Amino acid sequence: TTLTHHLIESLPKDTHVFWLAYPPETPDELYNYLLRDLGVTSPPTGRTLLLDEIRSILMREALQRSYVLVVDEAHYSNDSVLDALKFLNNLEGHGGKLIQILLVGQQELTPLLRKPQHASLAQRVSCMRRMSRLTPSQSLQYIKSRLERAGGALRIFTPTALKLLIKMGEGVPRRINNLCHETMLRASLRSSRVIEEEDVVRAGRGLRVGVNPLFEDPGKAQIRSSSTEARIEALPSPPAKNFNILKYTLAFFFGGMIVTMSDLLDVNVFS
C-alpha cells in the first residue's frame, strides 16, 4: 500500500487515478464508483449502459489525460468483479487502451488469476512483479532508519538482541515493527536503558513469533557469519542512563500502521 501510494505520487500530473482501497462486491458497484469519480451524478441503469458511459467519457478525455485504476487488496476480489475488470481492460480508443489497471495484493492473488475461468484475464497481464522479504542486511537498515526518524539509534539494542530480533522478523516489516515495539515496551517496564536478548525472547513469545533458522541472505550467508553480524557487533555502547526508551516505541507502533507490507506482494498491471 505504501509503495503503491508512492507510485501514484510519481505519475504525471495529467494522470487521473481511480483508487480502490478494497475490491467492490459487484461489477455495478465498480462501474458506478468510476462514473461518480468522473463526475457523473446520475449514472444509467444496467451493466452494459454503465460500461458504455465509462467508455464515452474516457474516449472524450483520452487525448488530454491518462486513466489508471488501482485496486488494493485485490486478492479479495470475487469472480464477477474480476470479469468486470476484464471488460474494462477491453475498452480501447485512439490506438490504445483507455484505462490501465493495477492490481495490488498478497500472494493469494496469483492462484486467483490462474483459475480456469480467469484464463483470458490472466493473458492480459502485461507485467507481474513480486516483492520478496527483506534480507537480514535490509532488515538491519530498516530498523536503523525507523529509529533515526524518531531520533533514536541502533545502540538501544545489544548486538545479541538485535541479531535475534532480525531472525525472528524474517524480513517482514510488519513483524519487525511489532517485535521492536514490544521489546521497547518490555525494556521500559523494567526501567532499562537498553534492550536485552531476553526482551526479544519474551516479545516473541507474547506475539507467538519464533526463530526461523533458514532465514538468511540470498548468498546463503547466515546472520551469524555475514557482514550483517560485523555491523551489529560494531554498534556503539548503549545510551546514557537517563535515556527514555519508551518514546521510541511510537516509531514502530505507527510504523506498523504505515508500512503495511505483506510477506509477498503481487503487483499485476493490465494493458
Side-chain angles (χ1 to χ4, degrees):
T1 302
T2 302
L3 292 178
T4 304
H5 281 297
H6 180 73
L7 171 65
I8 291 173
E9 291 173 359
S10 68
L11 293 174
K13 292 183 179 180
D14 60 353
T15 303
H16 185 110
V17 178
F18 303 99
W19 169 263
L20 283 171
Y22 195 86
E25 292 292 331
T26 66
D28 288 359
E29 185 179 338
L30 171 63
Y31 297 154
N32 275 288
Y33 166 77
L34 296 179
L35 287 173
R36 286 196 303 272
D37 199 300
L38 290 168
V40 177
T41 56
S42 300
T45 303
R47 197 163 298 173
T48 301
L49 293 178
L50 287 170
L51 195 58
D52 188 61
E53 180 74 6
I54 293 172
R55 183 182 184 280
S56 298
I57 297 175
L58 297 186
M59 277 285 292
R60 192 164 58 243
E61 301 290 332
L63 297 179
Q64 284 75 41
R65 66 184 66 206
S66 301
Y67 292 90
V68 177
L69 168 62
V70 180
V71 183
D72 201 1
E73 304 288 352
H75 54 286
Y76 289 120
S77 301
N78 59 44
D79 293 338
S80 63
V81 169
L82 289 176
D83 285 337
L85 291 172
K86 178 180 66 176
F87 296 140
L88 274 177
N89 181 250
N90 287 339
L91 300 181
E92 296 187 2
H94 303 293
K97 298 290 183 182
L98 292 176
I99 185 170
Q100 303 291 324
I101 303 174
L102 176 67
L103 301 182
V104 183
Q106 296 181 13
Q107 54 189 336
E108 293 84 2
L109 179 59
T110 299
L112 182 62
L113 293 175
R114 288 176 178 169
K115 293 171 66 174
Q117 61 265 44
H118 300 310
S120 60
L121 177 64
Q123 292 167 6
R124 289 168 166 80
V125 177
S126 62
C127 177
M128 181 178 290
R129 293 291 181 268
R130 175 170 291 184
M131 186 176 64
S132 59
R133 306 180 186 207
L134 302 177
T135 65
S137 179
Q138 291 169 336
S139 297
L140 176 66
Q141 185 59 39
Y142 175 75
I143 296 171
K144 179 175 181 290
S145 175
R146 293 215 65 90
L147 281 171
E148 289 178 347
R149 183 177 298 182
L154 283 173
R155 66 178 184 272
I156 67 173
F157 292 92
T158 64
T160 54
L162 190 54
K163 284 186 289 185
L164 179 60
L165 190 148
I166 289 174
K167 267 203 168 187
M168 294 175 72
E170 295 189 38
V172 182
R174 185 179 295 166
R175 184 179 300 173
I176 294 172
N177 291 340
N178 292 337
L179 283 168
C180 287
H181 176 65
E182 187 68 19
T183 55
M184 290 177 182
L185 284 178
R186 291 180 181 275
S188 177
L189 288 174
R190 59 184 179 82
S191 301
S192 174
R193 62 191 179 94
V194 66
I195 297 171
E196 304 283 354
E197 184 177 4
E198 183 60 24
D199 295 316
V200 181
V201 172
R202 292 180 180 274
R205 192 177 300 147
L207 296 170
R208 297 184 179 180
V209 175
V211 176
N212 182 358
L214 300 180
F215 180 56
E216 55 189 33
D217 276 310
K220 303 300 180 182
Q222 295 189 9
I223 290 180
R224 60 177 176 270
S225 60
S226 68
S227 59
T228 305
E229 165 97 6
R231 278 183 286 167
I232 291 176
E233 296 293 355
L235 293 176
S237 301
K241 291 184 178 180
N242 61 357
F243 174 75
N244 182 7
I245 201 171
L246 186 60
K247 69 178 182 179
Y248 296 118
T249 64
L250 289 179
F252 287 94
F253 179 72
F254 287 116
M257 295 190 289
I258 295 172
V259 187
T260 53
M261 202 177 299
S262 56
D263 290 10
L264 293 172
L265 181 73
D266 285 326
V267 178
N268 300 283
V269 179
F270 296 91
S271 65

